[in-house]
Amino acid sequence: MKLLDEVLFAEASESESRLAEARNSPLVLWHLLSLDAPMVAVVWTMFTARMTHTAVPVATGVAMGLAVWLLYAADRLLDTRALDPLGEPGEFEARHFFHHRHRAAFGVGMAIATVGLALLLPRLASDSIHLYLTEGALMAGYFVLIHATPLRGGRRRIALPKELMVGPFFAAATFIPTVARNPGLRLSLLPDAVLFAGLCCLNCLYIYAWEHPQPERDAHWTTHRAVRRLSLLAGGLVLAAAALALRGEWLYPAAVGLSAVGLMGLDEVRGSMARPALRAAADAVLLAPLVLLPFWIR
């Protein structure tokens, strides 16, 4: 027991130094507050709509941001339940400690966000709500699988790892407002959706590789293989984006390609960046559509 207390104390001390960086870095604070994923979701949602000339109201973007923030904040708070009893300190990062420390404030924020989301629901297209309910049911099942499955060796054994499941869910959410209002675009947008899902998975895999220099023995076999081939996967995604751009609609694949190149660049300089800053930057490079803003706001 004494040894475990010492480990927890050491981990807490390390987390203090990680969190201290947030006071001087808006980028890290943006990440610790779980604002990174919602912003990425909103940007790609509106980018997809604008690219296809689909009229998606601002309320849809706001609702998307609130829903994604609720999801990510809840996931991190659920992850840190093991910090209350004597849990597994080694699997936590700065974002987990931050959420655990400020869990009361996050609880209030989540309550306010839930009310705001409920008020916005009547403004959303009914087809969008139906599609989101279907996706939400699948996601809820996966959440239960993650957080209700007993830990084995410090990790949960699941059919597919989070690193590969986040991509399809996240990509689908950003395309739903557009395809709900314009169902005829479903097939034509499928290649773009697959490309973006691949980018989201690549983002998660890079983050996993940075946070686990030596992947756990009981990590999922797909994660083990993927993190050993990240450069190959990223290069393949860039080539796929370039090939897709040749069909004429270049804007969306260009944004995906820019983001993938950004992840590859971060991987090259990872040794010079603190973990929270690196994690925040990994999401920041997914904001590539903003770099192309002059081309899609015309």
Side-chain angles (χ1 to χ4, degrees):
M1 182 66 71
K2 181 179 179 181
L3 179 60
L4 182 54
D5 288 341
E6 290 175 355
V7 172
L8 289 172
F9 178 78
E11 189 71 23
S13 299
E14 183 182 354
S15 69
E16 290 286 347
S17 63
R18 291 176 184 173
L19 297 183
E21 185 179 356
R23 301 189 185 102
N24 301 316
S25 173
L27 179 66
V28 175
L29 186 59
W30 174 68
H31 159 62
L32 294 178
L33 290 171
S34 288
L35 297 175
D36 43 2
M39 185 172 177
V40 170
V42 171
V43 167
W44 283 88
T45 297
M46 304 312 291
F47 177 48
T48 303
R50 189 76 180 187
M51 181 189 67
T52 57
H53 308 289
T54 302
V56 171
V58 174
T60 298
V62 176
M64 168 69 76
L66 291 175
V68 174
W69 184 81
L70 282 167
L71 181 65
Y72 273 72
D75 183 49
R76 290 168 183 177
L77 287 172
L78 286 170
D79 279 341
T80 59
R81 288 178 303 168
L83 283 173
D84 288 320
L86 298 178
E88 295 279 347
E91 63 177 310
F92 298 111
E93 293 294 326
R95 60 187 178 273
H96 299 113
F97 288 105
F98 187 85
H99 279 68
H100 182 70
R101 168 174 292 185
H102 302 287
R103 56 191 179 279
F106 274 103
V108 173
M110 291 172 69
I112 295 173
T114 300
V115 173
L117 184 59
L119 293 174
L120 288 171
L121 284 179
R123 297 175 176 267
L124 304 183
S126 58
D127 288 343
S128 291
I129 294 177
H130 293 155
L131 290 173
Y132 277 129
L133 286 175
T134 301
E135 183 182 21
L138 294 173
M139 194 177 302
Y142 187 70
F143 251 63
V144 170
L145 185 63
I146 289 177
H147 294 288
T149 303
L151 286 168
R152 295 182 183 178
R155 296 185 62 81
R156 294 177 174 87
R157 294 189 179 277
I158 51 179
L160 283 176
K162 187 186 295 186
E163 292 79 29
L164 298 182
M165 290 298 295
V166 167
F169 278 128
F170 198 92
T174 63
F175 277 83
I176 281 176
T178 295
V179 299
R181 291 177 176 273
N182 198 339
L185 293 174
R186 291 184 180 183
L187 287 179
S188 62
L189 286 179
L190 184 59
D192 292 319
V194 172
L195 200 65
F196 184 50
L199 175 65
C200 294
C201 289
L202 187 68
N203 170 271
C204 293
L205 287 168
Y206 267 117
I207 291 169
Y208 180 89
W210 297 335
E211 294 180 348
H212 304 83
Q214 298 295 329
E216 292 91 338
R217 289 178 302 172
D218 58 343
H220 199 275
W221 66 270
T222 56
T223 302
H224 265 296
R225 293 188 178 183
V227 296
R228 293 186 185 131
R229 298 169 175 82
L230 280 176
S231 296
L232 182 62
L233 292 173
L237 187 66
V238 172
L239 289 177
L244 195 58
L246 292 177
R247 70 176 187 173
E249 296 294 336
W250 64 273
L251 202 53
Y252 199 93
V256 172
L258 281 175
S259 295
V261 170
L263 288 171
M264 295 170 73
L266 285 175
D267 191 50
E268 292 297 320
V269 300
R270 64 187 183 280
S272 63
M273 299 178 68
R275 248 192 217 177
L278 186 60
R279 173 65 173 79
D283 282 344
V285 299
L286 296 190
L287 297 175
L290 296 181
V291 177
L292 301 172
L293 193 63
F295 296 99
W296 59 276
I297 63 172
R298 293 180 297 179

